[in-house]
Amino acid sequence: MTVLAAEGALRLDTNWVDYLLIGVYFAFVIGIGVLARRSVSSSIDFFLSGRSLPAWVTGLAFISANLGAVEIIGMSANGANYGIPTVHYFWVGAVPAMLFLGVVMMPFYYGSKVRSVPEFMRRRFGTGAHLVNALSFAIAQLLIAGINLYLLANIVEIILGWPLWVSLIVAAAIVLTYTSLGGLSAAIYNEVLQFFVIVAALLPLTLIGLHKVGWWGGLKEKVAASAGGAEQLSSWPGQALTGFDSPFWSVVGIVLGLGFVLSFGYWTTNFVEVQRAMASSSISAAQRAPIIGAFPKMFVPFIVIFPGMIAAVLVNEISEPKNNGGSPDYNNALLYLIRDLLPNGMLGVAIAGLLASFMAGMAANISAFNTVFSYDLWETYVVKDRPDGYYLAVGRAATVGATVIAIFTATFAASYSNIMNYLQTLFGFFNAPLFATFILGMFWKRMTATAGWTGLVAGTTAAILVGIASQDALGGLSQGWVGLSGQGASFVAAGAAFVVDIIVSVLVTLVTKPREESELRGLVYSLTPKMDFHDDNEGALAWYQKPNILAGVGVVIVVGLNIIFW
């Protein structure tokens, strides 16, 4: 495979076959948007697909929405940088929370008929917590959409050699077209297509790479002989990943910071994911969506992390500076491997898979943003009591506005050599305090409305202060006052946000007046009879369609995977 270099830049040697395959993929993407537009006649169709989709569709969309640019590029970068410990982002930092969401929390979301997670917060805590949550969520989605757009534009630049700003505009226009046409339905059906395209792209790359290094045995031997050493072949204690010198505190950081605060904060309260499940056709289907998504999520590491590890020992641009104490550009690890291993034709499929992942992530951010902006901000606080068609138009306008803003926020991502550091910092700021407020309010009926918004503000402030005090969590804003760096700093920031939020919420609750219990039915676990959120059709479901049984199977598999790669 030859490489076309322009001023030292990475280039992929694409030909007409590759472009044809990419063109066919884009034709399907736009076609799905056009077809989905026919089913959009109301705002609920545009924002929640009319709550009509089957569980297998929303389940695959659930996982595909997360399988975006950050997941593919970020986790392969982590694989090249840290090795096997990166699996914690999946087997500790995702699957348990996804199963919990399906079994415990989706009945509340779906059964209460709310249109978004911030709307649930408004019903539980009133407008104070609702406004803080809606604003912070909207800002977070614009920043994360920028990450996905930056990586998408980077691929276009590598393929065609266009300037980055041109690539940003073209990439944004493609996502905007199908998202504004068909709303959530277009995003979800494209996410299902994108899931299969991503697997078709990354599975052959992984197998070819493993063959090249001598399969698993050869990969272990080469990784052990590299600068990372044998530590990169065991998932625990993962000190290189966390940046902690102590094995004990590294495990604590992974289990509590990643596995509890960041993971549950992301998967159970992040509307980007929850929105897909809320588009399901029934309560049991909504419960199954994240549980179904958990099964492919368990095996994504094998086609994302392993290629990163292979690149770290095969690709000169990664292995040489890594072994000589330099700083490789880990974000390009997967692209280098694609460049070196795949022939034309397969190269086109791989590029289409990467483009699919980047568009899935960005479309998920944009579709969640336009819902929260339209329902939770515009309709609630700006223009009330207008016809449904008005808010549908607002949603389409918000889609355009968010895409334009994402072009500018994309530039923030360029300053991070490992994009996961930036992403985990954002999660610590926005998701960790929300999870603390949400989980406390759902299981503690005494918690008050004032405690809801003060806890959110205090928790977010605590995370930001930790980021400023760290060495690199906030880029140039970090002061280096404490010895925290990389993703370990993000874990500590998330933990600080969670603890401070809980403490402030409890203290404020003790000096403020709670709501009447009769007002909290359907919002607090202990005050909601199971019959309120019961699916009448559940008795007719086969055993493999029952959420609790599916979740139990998922627990067994993920525990087994953790033991195998201990």
Side-chain angles (χ1 to χ4, degrees), residues 42-54 58 106 108-116 119 123 184-185 188 271 274-283 285-286 375:
S42 67
S43 64
I44 203 71
D45 292 332
F46 187 79
F47 295 121
L48 288 175
S49 300
R51 298 184 189 270
S52 61
L53 302 181
T58 54
M106 277 315 304
F108 281 83
Y109 286 134
Y110 195 93
S112 63
K113 299 299 180 184
V114 296
R115 299 167 297 184
S116 68
E119 186 175 346
R123 293 191 184 183
L184 184 62
S185 293
I188 284 179
F271 184 54
V274 173
Q275 185 182 30
R276 271 84 194 134
M278 289 173 67
S280 302
S281 57
S282 66
I283 286 181
Y375 282 151

Side-chain angles (χ1 to χ4, degrees), residues 328-404:
D329 184 2
Y330 291 112
N331 287 333
N332 280 331
L334 193 66
L335 298 177
Y336 284 127
L337 194 67
I338 290 172
R339 178 201 67 186
D340 290 349
L341 297 186
L342 296 186
N344 293 114
M346 290 186 67
L347 180 60
V349 174
I351 294 171
L354 289 177
L355 294 173
S357 71
F358 301 165
M359 289 192 295
M362 183 180 175
N365 299 134
I366 296 297
S367 60
F369 170 86
N370 64 31
T371 304
V372 169
F373 178 86
S374 303
Y375 282 151
D376 294 289
L377 294 174
W378 195 263
E379 182 182 8
T380 304
Y381 299 104
V382 182
V383 179
K384 303 179 180 179
D385 302 323
R386 289 291 186 91
D388 184 74
Y390 172 82
Y391 298 108
L392 176 58
V394 169
R396 285 201 163 102
T399 302
V400 176
T403 305
V404 173

Side-chain angles (χ1 to χ4, degrees), residues 446-468:
R446 174 72 173 79
M447 187 175 176
T448 66
T450 304
W453 73 264
T454 54
L456 281 174
V457 172
T460 302
T461 302
I464 292 173
L465 290 176
V466 171
I468 292 173

Side-chain angles (χ1 to χ4, degrees), residues 173-195:
I174 294 169
V175 176
L176 174 62
T177 299
Y178 76 79
T179 306
S180 60
L181 282 174
L184 184 62
S185 293
I188 284 179
Y189 281 114
N190 263 312
E191 284 159 4
V192 174
L193 169 66
Q194 287 156 351
F195 173 80

Side-chain angles (χ1 to χ4, degrees), residues 417-482:
S417 62
N418 188 329
I419 209 71
M420 283 304 297
N421 292 346
Y422 179 37
L423 185 70
Q424 294 304 319
T425 298
L426 295 179
F427 287 164
F429 290 174
F430 297 114
N431 289 356
L434 174 60
F435 174 60
T437 296
F438 199 100
I439 207 71
L440 195 61
M442 178 174 282
F443 292 101
W444 187 30
K445 62 184 180 182
R446 174 72 173 79
M447 187 175 176
T448 66
T450 304
W453 73 264
T454 54
L456 281 174
V457 172
T460 302
T461 302
I464 292 173
L465 290 176
V466 171
I468 292 173
S470 71
Q471 295 178 353
D472 56 8
L474 285 177
L477 296 177
S478 293
Q479 302 300 309
W481 297 329
V482 295

Side-chain angles (χ1 to χ4, degrees), residues 16-196:
W16 69 269
V17 176
D18 304 311
Y19 289 122
L20 177 62
L21 290 170
I22 296 169
V24 169
Y25 168 69
F26 277 122
F28 273 99
V29 167
I30 301 300
I32 288 173
V34 172
L35 291 174
R37 193 182 194 284
R38 299 177 181 177
S39 63
V40 176
S41 59
S42 67
S43 64
I44 203 71
D45 292 332
F46 187 79
F47 295 121
L48 288 175
S49 300
R51 298 184 189 270
S52 61
L53 302 181
W56 73 269
V57 170
T58 54
L60 288 179
F62 190 96
I63 190 61
S64 183
N66 179 252
L67 200 59
V70 176
E71 183 90 348
I72 301 297
I73 295 297
M75 290 303 176
S76 62
N78 264 357
N81 198 353
Y82 305 116
I84 289 295
T86 309
V87 300
H88 292 314
Y89 283 102
F90 298 84
W91 301 339
V92 176
V95 172
M98 294 169 72
L99 300 178
F100 180 83
L101 170 64
V103 172
V104 177
M105 299 184 71
M106 277 315 304
F108 281 83
Y109 286 134
Y110 195 93
S112 63
K113 299 299 180 184
V114 296
R115 299 167 297 184
S116 68
V117 171
E119 186 175 346
F120 188 92
M121 292 289 285
R122 179 170 62 83
R123 293 191 184 183
R124 174 63 180 89
F125 296 112
T127 56
H130 172 257
L131 182 59
V132 172
N133 179 207
L135 285 173
S136 65
F137 177 83
I139 293 170
Q141 296 321 299
L142 294 175
L143 292 171
I144 298 172
I147 297 175
N148 283 293
L149 179 57
Y150 168 72
L151 294 174
L152 174 58
N154 193 42
I155 291 293
V156 176
E157 182 186 20
I158 288 170
I159 298 170
L160 301 176
W162 294 350
L164 182 62
W165 69 271
V166 175
S167 302
L168 284 171
I169 293 173
V170 172
I174 294 169
V175 176
L176 174 62
T177 299
Y178 76 79
T179 306
S180 60
L181 282 174
L184 184 62
S185 293
I188 284 179
Y189 281 114
N190 263 312
E191 284 159 4
V192 174
L193 169 66
Q194 287 156 351
F195 173 80
F196 291 108

Side-chain angles (χ1 to χ4, degrees), residues 1-6 9-13 317 336 339-340:
M1 176 66 62
T2 59
V3 181
L4 304 177
L10 169 63
R11 292 286 180 266
L12 300 181
D13 186 19
E317 289 90 340
Y336 284 127
R339 178 201 67 186
D340 290 349

